């Protein structure tokens, strides 16, 4: 195929003409309550997998399969009929977070509705809306080109939000089946409406339950109070001890291993037109940003470790009063980790610190629920350049380059195991309420996401000139900023090797 502007225009026109139809199809997917962490929704999760598979088949992908796993199914599809063109692995997830507290939703989380140009539903933006958009981008290209400009493989998972490891096991077992030059993911955000973003870093996570046990059974607080261990109070002491009022986690190794932010990287952040602290305060409805005051909030959000308590269970929480000293209590605690801090190194440090802080008479066990490594994307490669071009064409302004604080555990494995650089180009907004009541997806961004993916794939398949041109990133920020190095030593050795598309198309 030769470069043909008419083709990309006709694919974009296809998207524009079918806006309502794409939205209706997304609504069908959004109506399926595929909450991966709640066992009672197992069948719904499966139904969502089948819906995605069905749509992949309908658009013309080959070898579409719902793959059974120990957890929730994976959905795979491919189209490999563009010899000599790059192969793009498209990843997304069809599972969603729980909806509680459901009474805070203004409409049913599983009955999508458009209000004020926003789609409201659980999973609207994270990630059904964004993932489904990528399928629609392929459909548009398929219809306009009677084929695709590049090869694609799709791997869509159903337990991202639950920290499941089915996809990790699959990627580790079948690297040859997933061979690709680049992975493309739309599951991140942009800083403000109209400001497109390429995310070049994500944090990892270690999610744990700290279980505290005291007496062998519950006790009367009058009969035993004064001599009894109280696991809830012990947990409170430990939680308060793990992170001080100054926002610093009391595990010094977490900080001594951090890579400093270079002036070049800070300059990259400064290119963003968004006043991040003001935006954050507005979004949270607070007028202070607690945490390490001496550290730039942008750094705290993405490049510093965090420790957060998600919930505490134990004792008597019903109406009324009960004078009990509980025998046990549990806290759910996670740490977000910049890519240079690995969960396997941090977990033992956490265990040791909890043991040090635990008061006498109580025993504490730190159980790992799940974990995933952070991601650091080298920016000086042709795929980032193609994405930069695609986003600039779509939005009429160049993208900002940002690190985000959330985690997409499989992204690190794509570079480690498949040796593929990752392009993270999502279209979520800071006020999309992901994981919270009233999750939404800005409707124009639903279509922008489809159109920017169309452009990206088109550029990779058709426009070697764009790919050969030096990108902004190779000229500036990646010089000495550390971003040319990938997360792990292994991945680092491969940074920038996947340049096939520069020479082949
Ligand atoms: N889409 C998010 C990840 C994300 C959030 C990226 C915000 C950038 C900004 C993803 O679906 C998610 O929420 N992941 C979980 C993973 C965890 C359960 C292992 C997360 O980050 O909590
Ligand atoms: Zn997501």
């Amino acid at each position: 195929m030769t470069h043909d502007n008419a083709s990309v225009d006709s694919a974009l026109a296809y998207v524009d003409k079918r806006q309502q139809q794409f939205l209706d199809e997304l609504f069908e997917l959004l109506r399926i309550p595929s909450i991966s962490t709640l066992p009672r929704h197992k069948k719904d999760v499966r139904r969502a997998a089948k819906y995605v598979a069905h749509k992949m088949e309908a658009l013309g992908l080959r070898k579409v399969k719902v793959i059974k796993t120990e957890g929730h199914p994976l959905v795979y599809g491919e189209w490999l009929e563009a010899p000599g063109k790059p192969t793009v692995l498209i990843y997304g997830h069809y599972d969603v977070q729980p909806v509680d507290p459901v009474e805070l939703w203004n409409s049913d989380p599983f009955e999508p509705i458009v209000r004020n140009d926003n789609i409201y539903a659980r999973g609207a933006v994270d990630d059904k809306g964004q993932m489904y958009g990528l399928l629609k981008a392929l459909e548009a290209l398929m219809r306009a080109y009677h084929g695709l400009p590049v090869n694609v493989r799709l791997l869509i998972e159903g337990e991202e939000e639950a920290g499941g490891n089915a996809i990790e096991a699959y990627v580790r077992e079948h690297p040859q089946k997933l061979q690709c030059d680049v992975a493309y993911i739309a599951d991140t955000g942009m800083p403000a409406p109209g400001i497109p973003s390429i995310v070049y870093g994500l944090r990892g996570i270690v999610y744990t339950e700290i279980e505290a046990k005291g007496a062998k059974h519950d006790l009367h607080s009058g009969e035993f109070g004064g001599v009894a261990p109280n696991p809830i109070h012990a947990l409170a002491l430990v939680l308060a001890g793990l992170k001080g009022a100054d926002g610093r986690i009391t595990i010094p190794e977490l900080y001594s291993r951090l890579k400093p932010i270079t002036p070049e990287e800070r300059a990259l952040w400064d290119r963003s037109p968004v006043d991040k602290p003001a935006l954050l305060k507005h979004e949270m409805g607070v007028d202070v940003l607690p945490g390490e005051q001496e550290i730039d909030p942008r750094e705290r959000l993405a490049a510093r470790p965090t420790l957060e308590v998600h919930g505490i269970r134990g004792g008597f929480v019903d109406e009324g009063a009960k004078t009990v000293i509980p025998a046990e209590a549990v806290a759910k605690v996670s740490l977000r980790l910049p890519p240079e801090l690995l969960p396997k190194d941090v977990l033992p440090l956490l265990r040791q610190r909890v043991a040090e802080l635990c008061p006498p008479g109580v025993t504490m066990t730190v159980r790992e629920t799940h974990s995933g490594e952070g991601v650091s994307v080298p920016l000086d490669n042709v795929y980032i350049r193609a994405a930069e071009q695609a986003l600039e064409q779509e939005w009429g302004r160049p993208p900002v380059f940002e690190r985000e604080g959330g985690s997409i555990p499989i992204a690190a494995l794509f570079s480690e195991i498949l040796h593929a650089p990752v392009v993270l180009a999502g279209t979520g907004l800071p006020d999309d309420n992901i994981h919270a009541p009233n999750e939404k997806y800005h409707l124009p961004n639903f279509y922008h996401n489809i159109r920017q993916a169309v452009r990206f794939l088109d550029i990779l398949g058709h426009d070697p000139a764009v790919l050969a041109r030096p990108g902004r990133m190779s000229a500036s920020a990646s010089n000495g900023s550390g971003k040319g190095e990938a997360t792990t030593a292994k991945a680092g050795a491969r940074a920038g090797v996947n340049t096939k598309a520069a020479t082949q198309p």
Side-chain angles (χ1 to χ4, degrees):
M1 254 180 260
T2 52
H3 179 58
D4 177 3
N5 249 331
S7 305
V8 75
D9 288 344
S10 63
L12 295 171
Y14 182 95
V15 176
D16 295 345
K17 240 186 283 164
R18 282 166 184 76
Q19 289 196 344
Q20 187 58 46
Q21 184 193 322
F22 289 178
L23 188 63
D24 292 344
E25 290 175 22
L26 172 61
F27 273 26
E28 269 190 66
L29 179 59
L30 290 173
R31 285 192 189 100
I32 307 172
S34 48
I35 304 170
S36 51
T37 204
L38 299 178
R40 66 175 182 275
H41 284 286
K42 196 172 162 66
K43 283 199 172 138
D44 297 317
V45 177
R46 194 173 165 71
R47 201 146 53 84
K50 284 189 170 161
Y51 184 81
V52 171
H54 167 70
K55 291 297 180 185
M56 279 190 198
E57 249 164 9
L59 80 89
L61 297 182
R62 319 281 194 224
K63 295 194 183 164
V64 175
K65 270 185 301 199
V66 173
I67 302 168
K68 272 198 193 130
T69 72
E70 303 227 317
H72 298 299
L74 291 161
V75 186
Y76 177 82
E78 66 180 33
W79 194 90
L80 302 172
E81 293 159 37
K85 303 292 184 182
T87 300
V88 182
L89 175 66
I90 291 177
Y91 163 84
H93 60 95
Y94 64 82
D95 64 318
V96 300
Q97 286 273 322
V99 295
D100 59 284
V102 71
E103 64 280 6
L104 295 185
W105 285 75
N106 297 324
S107 54
D108 185 334
F110 296 110
E111 192 39 71
I113 181 169
V114 174
R115 283 195 309 265
N116 304 327
D117 241 7
N118 290 309
I119 309 166
Y120 284 88
R122 173 57 87 228
V125 66
D126 185 11
D127 177 42
K128 285 174 172 173
Q130 300 207 64
M131 175 274 291
Y132 199 68
L134 301 185
L135 262 59
K136 296 297 104 175
L138 295 178
E139 178 183 319
L141 286 163
M142 198 72 107
R143 300 293 174 262
Y145 293 37
H146 308 288
L148 293 176
V150 291
N151 302 296
V152 297
R153 300 176 192 274
L154 279 77
L155 189 63
I156 312 295
E157 72 161 310
E159 48 184 42
E160 196 267 358
E161 299 290 11
N165 50 23
I167 190 167
E168 170 168 353
Y170 188 82
V171 174
R172 287 194 188 281
E173 269 168 42
H174 306 285
Q176 71 296 345
K177 283 193 194 167
L178 296 171
Q179 259 174 22
C180 60
D181 298 289
V182 58
Y184 187 84
I185 303 179
D187 192 22
T188 50
M190 36 195 270
I195 315 286
S197 161
I198 292 175
V199 168
Y200 67 89
L202 290 170
R203 279 192 291 217
I205 187 170
V206 191
Y207 198 109
T208 67
E209 288 194 354
I210 305 180
E211 190 182 70
K213 289 196 167 178
K216 64 183 182 200
H217 51 69
D218 285 2
L219 305 169
H220 186 290
S221 67
E223 197 182 1
F224 291 92
V227 298
N230 186 323
I232 297 183
H233 194 251
L235 266 184
L237 290 171
V238 167
L239 295 175
L242 279 171
K243 186 172 79 174
D246 58 359
R248 261 183 111 85
I249 305 164
T250 60
I251 304 175
E253 291 89 336
L254 294 186
Y255 299 97
S256 57
R257 294 180 191 181
L258 282 185
K259 273 196 203 159
I261 308 292
T262 60
E264 289 85 356
E265 185 166 16
R266 238 176 262 284
L268 189 62
W269 296 353
D270 288 339
R271 283 205 221 160
S272 170
V274 175
D275 178 350
K276 203 81 183 204
L279 179 108
L280 293 164
K281 287 179 191 166
H282 173 78
E283 192 43 45
M284 295 191 289
V286 298
D287 51 18
V288 288
L289 298 176
E292 299 166 284
Q293 293 307 301
E294 67 288 9
I295 310 272
D296 182 339
R298 297 174 299 183
E299 194 177 334
R300 281 192 258 154
L301 271 179
R304 303 282 290 179
T306 67
L307 182 142
E308 296 296 342
V309 189
H310 306 289
I312 300 183
R313 191 175 63 222
F316 180 72
V317 289
D318 222 331
E319 273 175 68
K322 181 184 179 197
T323 48
V324 64
I325 298 175
E328 53 182 70
V330 178
K332 293 181 190 265
V333 174
S334 83
L335 288 97
R336 297 277 174 177
L337 304 171
E340 60 269 32
L341 299 177
L342 300 180
K344 70 171 173 53
D345 298 331
V346 170
L347 191 60
L349 297 171
L350 175 68
R351 290 204 164 109
Q352 190 191 330
R353 188 70 188 122
V354 167
E356 285 165 11
L357 292 164
C358 183
V362 174
T363 55
M364 288 196 188
T365 317
V366 180
R367 229 177 305 111
E368 179 185 22
T369 311
H370 60 75
S371 61
E373 290 180 17
V375 182
S376 176
V377 177
L379 289 176
D380 50 356
N381 64 67
V382 291
Y383 302 101
I384 293 292
R385 238 166 303 167
E388 193 181 352
Q389 285 284 323
L391 269 56
E392 179 156 1
Q393 285 168 12
E394 177 57 22
W395 297 85
R397 61 148 290 149
V400 295
F401 287 82
E402 295 189 307
R403 287 165 74 162
E404 287 198 319
S407 311
I408 304 178
I410 198 61
L413 287 192
F414 288 156
S415 55
E416 185 192 322
I417 298 170
L418 305 177
H419 308 188
V422 185
V423 174
L424 295 155
T427 54
L429 287 174
D431 64 350
D432 278 347
N433 302 322
I434 58 173
H435 296 199
N438 303 308
E439 177 177 349
K440 68 165 183 69
Y441 192 11
H442 191 44
L443 187 57
N445 284 18
F446 174 54
Y447 300 116
H448 279 303
N449 175 52
I450 302 174
R451 290 171 52 102
Q452 74 184 27
V454 164
R455 293 183 190 277
F456 173 73
L457 297 170
D458 175 74
I459 290 170
L460 281 191
H462 287 100
D463 204 342
V466 165
L467 301 180
R469 217 156 49 219
R472 284 188 184 78
M473 285 311 106
S474 33
S476 58
S478 59
N479 285 339
S481 68
K483 287 179 305 301
E485 298 151 36
T487 313
T488 60
K490 262 182 282 170
R494 292 183 304 267
V497 296
N498 288 281
T499 49
K500 254 187 250 167
T503 50
Q504 281 190 357

